[in-house]
mmCIF file with all atom_site columns, all heavy atoms in Angstrom:
data_model
loop_
_atom_site.group_PDB
_atom_site.id
_atom_site.type_symbol
_atom_site.label_atom_id
_atom_site.label_alt_id
_atom_site.label_comp_id
_atom_site.label_asym_id
_atom_site.label_entity_id
_atom_site.label_seq_id
_atom_site.pdbx_PDB_ins_code
_atom_site.Cartn_x
_atom_site.Cartn_y
_atom_site.Cartn_z
_atom_site.occupancy
_atom_site.B_iso_or_equiv
_atom_site.pdbx_formal_charge
_atom_site.auth_seq_id
_atom_site.auth_comp_id
_atom_site.auth_asym_id
_atom_site.auth_atom_id
_atom_site.pdbx_PDB_model_num
ATOM 1   N N   . LYS A 1 1  ? 0.841  -1.197 0.000   1.00 95.00 ? 25 LYS A N   1
ATOM 2   C CA  . LYS A 1 1  ? 0.000  0.000  0.000   1.00 95.00 ? 25 LYS A CA  1
ATOM 3   C C   . LYS A 1 1  ? 0.875  1.244  0.000   1.00 95.00 ? 25 LYS A C   1
ATOM 4   O O   . LYS A 1 1  ? 1.934  1.273  0.634   1.00 95.00 ? 25 LYS A O   1
ATOM 5   C CB  . LYS A 1 1  ? -0.935 -0.005 1.207   1.00 95.00 ? 25 LYS A CB  1
ATOM 6   C CG  . LYS A 1 1  ? -2.020 -1.073 1.134   1.00 95.00 ? 25 LYS A CG  1
ATOM 7   C CD  . LYS A 1 1  ? -2.959 -0.964 2.312   1.00 95.00 ? 25 LYS A CD  1
ATOM 8   C CE  . LYS A 1 1  ? -4.042 -2.036 2.250   1.00 95.00 ? 25 LYS A CE  1
ATOM 9   N NZ  . LYS A 1 1  ? -4.921 -1.858 1.087   1.00 95.00 ? 25 LYS A NZ  1
ATOM 10  N N   . ALA A 1 2  ? 0.454  2.259  -0.721  1.00 96.00 ? 26 ALA A N   1
ATOM 11  C CA  . ALA A 1 2  ? 1.243  3.475  -0.888  1.00 96.00 ? 26 ALA A CA  1
ATOM 12  C C   . ALA A 1 2  ? 0.367  4.696  -0.640  1.00 96.00 ? 26 ALA A C   1
ATOM 13  O O   . ALA A 1 2  ? -0.866 4.622  -0.687  1.00 96.00 ? 26 ALA A O   1
ATOM 14  C CB  . ALA A 1 2  ? 1.841  3.529  -2.292  1.00 96.00 ? 26 ALA A CB  1
ATOM 15  N N   . GLY A 1 3  ? 1.020  5.808  -0.386  1.00 97.00 ? 27 GLY A N   1
ATOM 16  C CA  . GLY A 1 3  ? 0.311  7.079  -0.314  1.00 97.00 ? 27 GLY A CA  1
ATOM 17  C C   . GLY A 1 3  ? 0.342  7.734  -1.682  1.00 97.00 ? 27 GLY A C   1
ATOM 18  O O   . GLY A 1 3  ? 1.389  7.760  -2.333  1.00 97.00 ? 27 GLY A O   1
ATOM 19  N N   . ALA A 1 4  ? -0.777 8.224  -2.157  1.00 98.00 ? 28 ALA A N   1
ATOM 20  C CA  . ALA A 1 4  ? -0.836 8.868  -3.474  1.00 98.00 ? 28 ALA A CA  1
ATOM 21  C C   . ALA A 1 4  ? -1.754 10.078 -3.400  1.00 98.00 ? 28 ALA A C   1
ATOM 22  O O   . ALA A 1 4  ? -2.898 9.971  -2.947  1.00 98.00 ? 28 ALA A O   1
ATOM 23  C CB  . ALA A 1 4  ? -1.341 7.889  -4.529  1.00 98.00 ? 28 ALA A CB  1
ATOM 24  N N   . LYS A 1 5  ? -1.221 11.223 -3.833  1.00 98.00 ? 29 LYS A N   1
ATOM 25  C CA  . LYS A 1 5  ? -1.999 12.467 -3.793  1.00 98.00 ? 29 LYS A CA  1
ATOM 26  C C   . LYS A 1 5  ? -1.784 13.232 -5.086  1.00 98.00 ? 29 LYS A C   1
ATOM 27  O O   . LYS A 1 5  ? -0.644 13.407 -5.537  1.00 98.00 ? 29 LYS A O   1
ATOM 28  C CB  . LYS A 1 5  ? -1.561 13.320 -2.604  1.00 98.00 ? 29 LYS A CB  1
ATOM 29  C CG  . LYS A 1 5  ? -2.332 14.635 -2.471  1.00 98.00 ? 29 LYS A CG  1
ATOM 30  C CD  . LYS A 1 5  ? -1.953 15.371 -1.198  1.00 98.00 ? 29 LYS A CD  1
ATOM 31  C CE  . LYS A 1 5  ? -0.558 15.950 -1.276  1.00 98.00 ? 29 LYS A CE  1
ATOM 32  N NZ  . LYS A 1 5  ? -0.229 16.792 -0.094  1.00 98.00 ? 29 LYS A NZ  1
ATOM 33  N N   . LEU A 1 6  ? -2.882 13.667 -5.687  1.00 98.00 ? 30 LEU A N   1
ATOM 34  C CA  . LEU A 1 6  ? -2.805 14.449 -6.917  1.00 98.00 ? 30 LEU A CA  1
ATOM 35  C C   . LEU A 1 6  ? -2.477 15.900 -6.588  1.00 98.00 ? 30 LEU A C   1
ATOM 36  O O   . LEU A 1 6  ? -3.191 16.552 -5.832  1.00 98.00 ? 30 LEU A O   1
ATOM 37  C CB  . LEU A 1 6  ? -4.133 14.367 -7.678  1.00 98.00 ? 30 LEU A CB  1
ATOM 38  C CG  . LEU A 1 6  ? -4.189 15.055 -9.041  1.00 98.00 ? 30 LEU A CG  1
ATOM 39  C CD1 . LEU A 1 6  ? -3.231 14.397 -10.018 1.00 98.00 ? 30 LEU A CD1 1
ATOM 40  C CD2 . LEU A 1 6  ? -5.611 15.033 -9.592  1.00 98.00 ? 30 LEU A CD2 1
ATOM 41  N N   . ILE A 1 7  ? -1.388 16.386 -7.163  1.00 97.00 ? 31 ILE A N   1
ATOM 42  C CA  . ILE A 1 7  ? -0.988 17.779 -6.964  1.00 97.00 ? 31 ILE A CA  1
ATOM 43  C C   . ILE A 1 7  ? -1.530 18.660 -8.079  1.00 97.00 ? 31 ILE A C   1
ATOM 44  O O   . ILE A 1 7  ? -2.005 19.763 -7.849  1.00 97.00 ? 31 ILE A O   1
ATOM 45  C CB  . ILE A 1 7  ? 0.551  17.891 -6.891  1.00 97.00 ? 31 ILE A CB  1
ATOM 46  C CG1 . ILE A 1 7  ? 1.074  17.107 -5.684  1.00 97.00 ? 31 ILE A CG1 1
ATOM 47  C CG2 . ILE A 1 7  ? 0.988  19.356 -6.820  1.00 97.00 ? 31 ILE A CG2 1
ATOM 48  C CD1 . ILE A 1 7  ? 2.573  17.043 -5.604  1.00 97.00 ? 31 ILE A CD1 1
ATOM 49  N N   . LYS A 1 8  ? -1.478 18.134 -9.304  1.00 96.00 ? 32 LYS A N   1
ATOM 50  C CA  . LYS A 1 8  ? -1.992 18.888 -10.451 1.00 96.00 ? 32 LYS A CA  1
ATOM 51  C C   . LYS A 1 8  ? -2.473 17.917 -11.511 1.00 96.00 ? 32 LYS A C   1
ATOM 52  O O   . LYS A 1 8  ? -1.799 16.935 -11.817 1.00 96.00 ? 32 LYS A O   1
ATOM 53  C CB  . LYS A 1 8  ? -0.898 19.791 -11.040 1.00 96.00 ? 32 LYS A CB  1
ATOM 54  C CG  . LYS A 1 8  ? -1.402 20.731 -12.136 1.00 96.00 ? 32 LYS A CG  1
ATOM 55  C CD  . LYS A 1 8  ? -0.272 21.597 -12.696 1.00 96.00 ? 32 LYS A CD  1
ATOM 56  C CE  . LYS A 1 8  ? 0.478  20.861 -13.781 1.00 96.00 ? 32 LYS A CE  1
ATOM 57  N NZ  . LYS A 1 8  ? 1.424  21.750 -14.512 1.00 96.00 ? 32 LYS A NZ  1
ATOM 58  N N   . ALA A 1 9  ? -3.656 18.179 -12.071 1.00 94.00 ? 33 ALA A N   1
ATOM 59  C CA  . ALA A 1 9  ? -4.207 17.350 -13.140 1.00 94.00 ? 33 ALA A CA  1
ATOM 60  C C   . ALA A 1 9  ? -4.057 18.069 -14.471 1.00 94.00 ? 33 ALA A C   1
ATOM 61  O O   . ALA A 1 9  ? -3.905 19.279 -14.527 1.00 94.00 ? 33 ALA A O   1
ATOM 62  C CB  . ALA A 1 9  ? -5.674 17.036 -12.869 1.00 94.00 ? 33 ALA A CB  1
ATOM 63  N N   . GLY A 1 10 ? -4.105 17.292 -15.573 1.00 92.00 ? 34 GLY A N   1
ATOM 64  C CA  . GLY A 1 10 ? -4.014 17.883 -16.900 1.00 92.00 ? 34 GLY A CA  1
ATOM 65  C C   . GLY A 1 10 ? -3.391 16.917 -17.877 1.00 92.00 ? 34 GLY A C   1
ATOM 66  O O   . GLY A 1 10 ? -3.305 15.706 -17.613 1.00 92.00 ? 34 GLY A O   1
ATOM 67  N N   . ASP A 1 11 ? -2.965 17.435 -19.015 1.00 95.00 ? 35 ASP A N   1
ATOM 68  C CA  . ASP A 1 11 ? -2.296 16.586 -20.000 1.00 95.00 ? 35 ASP A CA  1
ATOM 69  C C   . ASP A 1 11 ? -1.025 15.975 -19.409 1.00 95.00 ? 35 ASP A C   1
ATOM 70  O O   . ASP A 1 11 ? -0.614 14.881 -19.778 1.00 95.00 ? 35 ASP A O   1
ATOM 71  C CB  . ASP A 1 11 ? -1.939 17.383 -21.255 1.00 95.00 ? 35 ASP A CB  1
ATOM 72  C CG  . ASP A 1 11 ? -3.190 17.828 -22.018 1.00 95.00 ? 35 ASP A CG  1
ATOM 73  O OD1 . ASP A 1 11 ? -4.240 17.170 -21.836 1.00 95.00 ? 35 ASP A OD1 1
ATOM 74  O OD2 . ASP A 1 11 ? -3.113 18.803 -22.772 1.00 95.00 ? 35 ASP A OD2 1
ATOM 75  N N   . GLN A 1 12 ? -0.409 16.732 -18.503 1.00 97.00 ? 36 GLN A N   1
ATOM 76  C CA  . GLN A 1 12 ? 0.657  16.200 -17.671 1.00 97.00 ? 36 GLN A CA  1
ATOM 77  C C   . GLN A 1 12 ? 0.245  16.406 -16.221 1.00 97.00 ? 36 GLN A C   1
ATOM 78  O O   . GLN A 1 12 ? 0.034  17.533 -15.781 1.00 97.00 ? 36 GLN A O   1
ATOM 79  C CB  . GLN A 1 12 ? 1.994  16.895 -17.948 1.00 97.00 ? 36 GLN A CB  1
ATOM 80  C CG  . GLN A 1 12 ? 2.635  16.485 -19.263 1.00 97.00 ? 36 GLN A CG  1
ATOM 81  C CD  . GLN A 1 12 ? 4.100  16.921 -19.354 1.00 97.00 ? 36 GLN A CD  1
ATOM 82  O OE1 . GLN A 1 12 ? 4.626  17.591 -18.479 1.00 97.00 ? 36 GLN A OE1 1
ATOM 83  N NE2 . GLN A 1 12 ? 4.756  16.518 -20.424 1.00 97.00 ? 36 GLN A NE2 1
ATOM 84  N N   . SER A 1 13 ? 0.109  15.310 -15.492 1.00 98.00 ? 37 SER A N   1
ATOM 85  C CA  . SER A 1 13 ? -0.314 15.386 -14.094 1.00 98.00 ? 37 SER A CA  1
ATOM 86  C C   . SER A 1 13 ? 0.897  15.304 -13.172 1.00 98.00 ? 37 SER A C   1
ATOM 87  O O   . SER A 1 13 ? 1.925  14.731 -13.529 1.00 98.00 ? 37 SER A O   1
ATOM 88  C CB  . SER A 1 13 ? -1.278 14.241 -13.768 1.00 98.00 ? 37 SER A CB  1
ATOM 89  O OG  . SER A 1 13 ? -2.450 14.320 -14.548 1.00 98.00 ? 37 SER A OG  1
ATOM 90  N N   . VAL A 1 14 ? 0.750  15.884 -11.993 1.00 98.00 ? 38 VAL A N   1
ATOM 91  C CA  . VAL A 1 14 ? 1.798  15.821 -10.980 1.00 98.00 ? 38 VAL A CA  1
ATOM 92  C C   . VAL A 1 14 ? 1.230  15.094 -9.764  1.00 98.00 ? 38 VAL A C   1
ATOM 93  O O   . VAL A 1 14 ? 0.174  15.471 -9.239  1.00 98.00 ? 38 VAL A O   1
ATOM 94  C CB  . VAL A 1 14 ? 2.294  17.226 -10.587 1.00 98.00 ? 38 VAL A CB  1
ATOM 95  C CG1 . VAL A 1 14 ? 3.397  17.124 -9.531  1.00 98.00 ? 38 VAL A CG1 1
ATOM 96  C CG2 . VAL A 1 14 ? 2.800  17.979 -11.816 1.00 98.00 ? 38 VAL A CG2 1
ATOM 97  N N   . VAL A 1 15 ? 1.939  14.045 -9.328  1.00 98.00 ? 39 VAL A N   1
ATOM 98  C CA  . VAL A 1 15 ? 1.448  13.192 -8.252  1.00 98.00 ? 39 VAL A CA  1
ATOM 99  C C   . VAL A 1 15 ? 2.535  13.007 -7.201  1.00 98.00 ? 39 VAL A C   1
ATOM 100 O O   . VAL A 1 15 ? 3.701  12.788 -7.530  1.00 98.00 ? 39 VAL A O   1
ATOM 101 C CB  . VAL A 1 15 ? 1.035  11.799 -8.786  1.00 98.00 ? 39 VAL A CB  1
ATOM 102 C CG1 . VAL A 1 15 ? 0.548  10.902 -7.647  1.00 98.00 ? 39 VAL A CG1 1
ATOM 103 C CG2 . VAL A 1 15 ? -0.043 11.930 -9.852  1.00 98.00 ? 39 VAL A CG2 1
ATOM 104 N N   . GLU A 1 16 ? 2.131  13.127 -5.932  1.00 98.00 ? 40 GLU A N   1
ATOM 105 C CA  . GLU A 1 16 ? 3.024  12.756 -4.832  1.00 98.00 ? 40 GLU A CA  1
ATOM 106 C C   . GLU A 1 16 ? 2.777  11.290 -4.502  1.00 98.00 ? 40 GLU A C   1
ATOM 107 O O   . GLU A 1 16 ? 1.635  10.880 -4.287  1.00 98.00 ? 40 GLU A O   1
ATOM 108 C CB  . GLU A 1 16 ? 2.751  13.615 -3.603  1.00 98.00 ? 40 GLU A CB  1
ATOM 109 C CG  . GLU A 1 16 ? 3.631  13.245 -2.402  1.00 98.00 ? 40 GLU A CG  1
ATOM 110 C CD  . GLU A 1 16 ? 3.208  13.957 -1.137  1.00 98.00 ? 40 GLU A CD  1
ATOM 111 O OE1 . GLU A 1 16 ? 2.307  13.431 -0.432  1.00 98.00 ? 40 GLU A OE1 1
ATOM 112 O OE2 . GLU A 1 16 ? 3.776  15.036 -0.863  1.00 98.00 ? 40 GLU A OE2 1
ATOM 113 N N   . LEU A 1 17 ? 3.851  10.497 -4.462  1.00 98.00 ? 41 LEU A N   1
ATOM 114 C CA  . LEU A 1 17 ? 3.733  9.069  -4.179  1.00 98.00 ? 41 LEU A CA  1
ATOM 115 C C   . LEU A 1 17 ? 4.680  8.707  -3.043  1.00 98.00 ? 41 LEU A C   1
ATOM 116 O O   . LEU A 1 17 ? 5.865  9.048  -3.085  1.00 98.00 ? 41 LEU A O   1
ATOM 117 C CB  . LEU A 1 17 ? 4.071  8.246  -5.420  1.00 98.00 ? 41 LEU A CB  1
ATOM 118 C CG  . LEU A 1 17 ? 3.799  6.740  -5.330  1.00 98.00 ? 41 LEU A CG  1
ATOM 119 C CD1 . LEU A 1 17 ? 2.298  6.470  -5.271  1.00 98.00 ? 41 LEU A CD1 1
ATOM 120 C CD2 . LEU A 1 17 ? 4.400  5.992  -6.522  1.00 98.00 ? 41 LEU A CD2 1
ATOM 121 N N   . ILE A 1 18 ? 4.148  8.035  -2.027  1.00 98.00 ? 42 ILE A N   1
ATOM 122 C CA  . ILE A 1 18 ? 4.946  7.604  -0.871  1.00 98.00 ? 42 ILE A CA  1
ATOM 123 C C   . ILE A 1 18 ? 4.980  6.084  -0.850  1.00 98.00 ? 42 ILE A C   1
ATOM 124 O O   . ILE A 1 18 ? 3.934  5.435  -0.750  1.00 98.00 ? 42 ILE A O   1
ATOM 125 C CB  . ILE A 1 18 ? 4.361  8.129  0.443   1.00 98.00 ? 42 ILE A CB  1
ATOM 126 C CG1 . ILE A 1 18 ? 4.245  9.654  0.418   1.00 98.00 ? 42 ILE A CG1 1
ATOM 127 C CG2 . ILE A 1 18 ? 5.235  7.694  1.621   1.00 98.00 ? 42 ILE A CG2 1
ATOM 128 C CD1 . ILE A 1 18 ? 3.554  10.236 1.630   1.00 98.00 ? 42 ILE A CD1 1
ATOM 129 N N   . ILE A 1 19 ? 6.181  5.522  -0.953  1.00 96.00 ? 43 ILE A N   1
ATOM 130 C CA  . ILE A 1 19 ? 6.336  4.063  -0.951  1.00 96.00 ? 43 ILE A CA  1
ATOM 131 C C   . ILE A 1 19 ? 7.235  3.648  0.214   1.00 96.00 ? 43 ILE A C   1
ATOM 132 O O   . ILE A 1 19 ? 7.939  4.477  0.796   1.00 96.00 ? 43 ILE A O   1
ATOM 133 C CB  . ILE A 1 19 ? 6.924  3.551  -2.286  1.00 96.00 ? 43 ILE A CB  1
ATOM 134 C CG1 . ILE A 1 19 ? 8.334  4.117  -2.516  1.00 96.00 ? 43 ILE A CG1 1
ATOM 135 C CG2 . ILE A 1 19 ? 5.994  3.909  -3.443  1.00 96.00 ? 43 ILE A CG2 1
ATOM 136 C CD1 . ILE A 1 19 ? 9.040  3.518  -3.733  1.00 96.00 ? 43 ILE A CD1 1
ATOM 137 N N   . HIS A 1 20 ? 7.206  2.350  0.528   1.00 92.00 ? 44 HIS A N   1
ATOM 138 C CA  . HIS A 1 20 ? 8.009  1.827  1.641   1.00 92.00 ? 44 HIS A CA  1
ATOM 139 C C   . HIS A 1 20 ? 8.948  0.720  1.173   1.00 92.00 ? 44 HIS A C   1
ATOM 140 O O   . HIS A 1 20 ? 9.549  0.034  2.008   1.00 92.00 ? 44 HIS A O   1
ATOM 141 C CB  . HIS A 1 20 ? 7.093  1.296  2.757   1.00 92.00 ? 44 HIS A CB  1
ATOM 142 C CG  . HIS A 1 20 ? 6.205  2.344  3.342   1.00 92.00 ? 44 HIS A CG  1
ATOM 143 N ND1 . HIS A 1 20 ? 4.991  2.689  2.779   1.00 92.00 ? 44 HIS A ND1 1
ATOM 144 C CD2 . HIS A 1 20 ? 6.364  3.152  4.414   1.00 92.00 ? 44 HIS A CD2 1
ATOM 145 C CE1 . HIS A 1 20 ? 4.429  3.643  3.499   1.00 92.00 ? 44 HIS A CE1 1
ATOM 146 N NE2 . HIS A 1 20 ? 5.237  3.943  4.488   1.00 92.00 ? 44 HIS A NE2 1
ATOM 147 N N   . GLU A 1 21 ? 9.068  0.570  -0.129  1.00 90.00 ? 45 GLU A N   1
ATOM 148 C CA  . GLU A 1 21 ? 9.958  -0.448 -0.687  1.00 90.00 ? 45 GLU A CA  1
ATOM 149 C C   . GLU A 1 21 ? 11.022 0.244  -1.523  1.00 90.00 ? 45 GLU A C   1
ATOM 150 O O   . GLU A 1 21 ? 11.064 1.467  -1.597  1.00 90.00 ? 45 GLU A O   1
ATOM 151 C CB  . GLU A 1 21 ? 9.152  -1.423 -1.553  1.00 90.00 ? 45 GLU A CB  1
ATOM 152 C CG  . GLU A 1 21 ? 8.050  -2.125 -0.781  1.00 90.00 ? 45 GLU A CG  1
ATOM 153 C CD  . GLU A 1 21 ? 6.795  -2.300 -1.632  1.00 90.00 ? 45 GLU A CD  1
ATOM 154 O OE1 . GLU A 1 21 ? 6.407  -1.374 -2.350  1.00 90.00 ? 45 GLU A OE1 1
ATOM 155 O OE2 . GLU A 1 21 ? 6.212  -3.389 -1.549  1.00 90.00 ? 45 GLU A OE2 1
ATOM 156 N N   . GLY A 1 22 ? 11.870 -0.545 -2.146  1.00 83.00 ? 46 GLY A N   1
ATOM 157 C CA  . GLY A 1 22 ? 12.927 0.051  -2.953  1.00 83.00 ? 46 GLY A CA  1
ATOM 158 C C   . GLY A 1 22 ? 13.282 -0.787 -4.155  1.00 83.00 ? 46 GLY A C   1
ATOM 159 O O   . GLY A 1 22 ? 14.464 -0.962 -4.482  1.00 83.00 ? 46 GLY A O   1
ATOM 160 N N   . LYS A 1 23 ? 12.272 -1.323 -4.826  1.00 88.00 ? 47 LYS A N   1
ATOM 161 C CA  . LYS A 1 23 ? 12.530 -2.105 -6.027  1.00 88.00 ? 47 LYS A CA  1
ATOM 162 C C   . LYS A 1 23 ? 13.129 -1.217 -7.124  1.00 88.00 ? 47 LYS A C   1
ATOM 163 O O   . LYS A 1 23 ? 12.894 -0.009 -7.155  1.00 88.00 ? 47 LYS A O   1
ATOM 164 C CB  . LYS A 1 23 ? 11.228 -2.741 -6.546  1.00 88.00 ? 47 LYS A CB  1
ATOM 165 C CG  . LYS A 1 23 ? 10.609 -3.748 -5.595  1.00 88.00 ? 47 LYS A CG  1
ATOM 166 C CD  . LYS A 1 23 ? 11.468 -4.981 -5.444  1.00 88.00 ? 47 LYS A CD  1
ATOM 167 C CE  . LYS A 1 23 ? 10.810 -6.004 -4.531  1.00 88.00 ? 47 LYS A CE  1
ATOM 168 N NZ  . LYS A 1 23 ? 11.657 -7.201 -4.335  1.00 88.00 ? 47 LYS A NZ  1
ATOM 169 N N   . ASN A 1 24 ? 13.893 -1.841 -8.008  1.00 89.00 ? 48 ASN A N   1
ATOM 170 C CA  . ASN A 1 24 ? 14.538 -1.102 -9.086  1.00 89.00 ? 48 ASN A CA  1
ATOM 171 C C   . ASN A 1 24 ? 13.505 -0.336 -9.917  1.00 89.00 ? 48 ASN A C   1
ATOM 172 O O   . ASN A 1 24 ? 12.543 -0.916 -10.414 1.00 89.00 ? 48 ASN A O   1
ATOM 173 C CB  . ASN A 1 24 ? 15.309 -2.085 -9.979  1.00 89.00 ? 48 ASN A CB  1
ATOM 174 C CG  . ASN A 1 24 ? 16.093 -1.382 -11.067 1.00 89.00 ? 48 ASN A CG  1
ATOM 175 O OD1 . ASN A 1 24 ? 16.709 -0.338 -10.839 1.00 89.00 ? 48 ASN A OD1 1
ATOM 176 N ND2 . ASN A 1 24 ? 16.062 -1.946 -12.260 1.00 89.00 ? 48 ASN A ND2 1
ATOM 177 N N   . ARG A 1 25 ? 13.690 0.977  -10.021 1.00 93.00 ? 49 ARG A N   1
ATOM 178 C CA  . ARG A 1 25 ? 12.826 1.861  -10.804 1.00 93.00 ? 49 ARG A CA  1
ATOM 179 C C   . ARG A 1 25 ? 11.352 1.658  -10.432 1.00 93.00 ? 49 ARG A C   1
ATOM 180 O O   . ARG A 1 25 ? 10.456 1.704  -11.285 1.00 93.00 ? 49 ARG A O   1
ATOM 181 C CB  . ARG A 1 25 ? 13.045 1.644  -12.305 1.00 93.00 ? 49 ARG A CB  1
ATOM 182 C CG  . ARG A 1 25 ? 14.481 1.936  -12.735 1.00 93.00 ? 49 ARG A CG  1
ATOM 183 C CD  . ARG A 1 25 ? 14.710 1.668  -14.206 1.00 93.00 ? 49 ARG A CD  1
ATOM 184 N NE  . ARG A 1 25 ? 14.023 2.625  -15.058 1.00 93.00 ? 49 ARG A NE  1
ATOM 185 C CZ  . ARG A 1 25 ? 14.471 3.834  -15.360 1.00 93.00 ? 49 ARG A CZ  1
ATOM 186 N NH1 . ARG A 1 25 ? 15.621 4.254  -14.851 1.00 93.00 ? 49 ARG A NH1 1
ATOM 187 N NH2 . ARG A 1 25 ? 13.796 4.637  -16.152 1.00 93.00 ? 49 ARG A NH2 1
#
């Protein structure tokens, strides 16, 4: 489970994402 919050919507959206793992990319 992750934290996800939309900062800006549009043709290009900006999202804050909080994760607790560290898989490659």
Side-chain angles (χ1 to χ4, degrees):
K25 291 184 180 295
K29 181 174 71 174
L30 184 64
I31 297 174
K32 187 181 85 170
D35 293 337
Q36 286 194 356
S37 298
V38 180
V39 179
E40 178 189 86
L41 188 68
I42 303 175
I43 63 173
H44 299 85
E45 301 142 318
K47 296 293 182 182
N48 184 41
R49 299 178 70 82

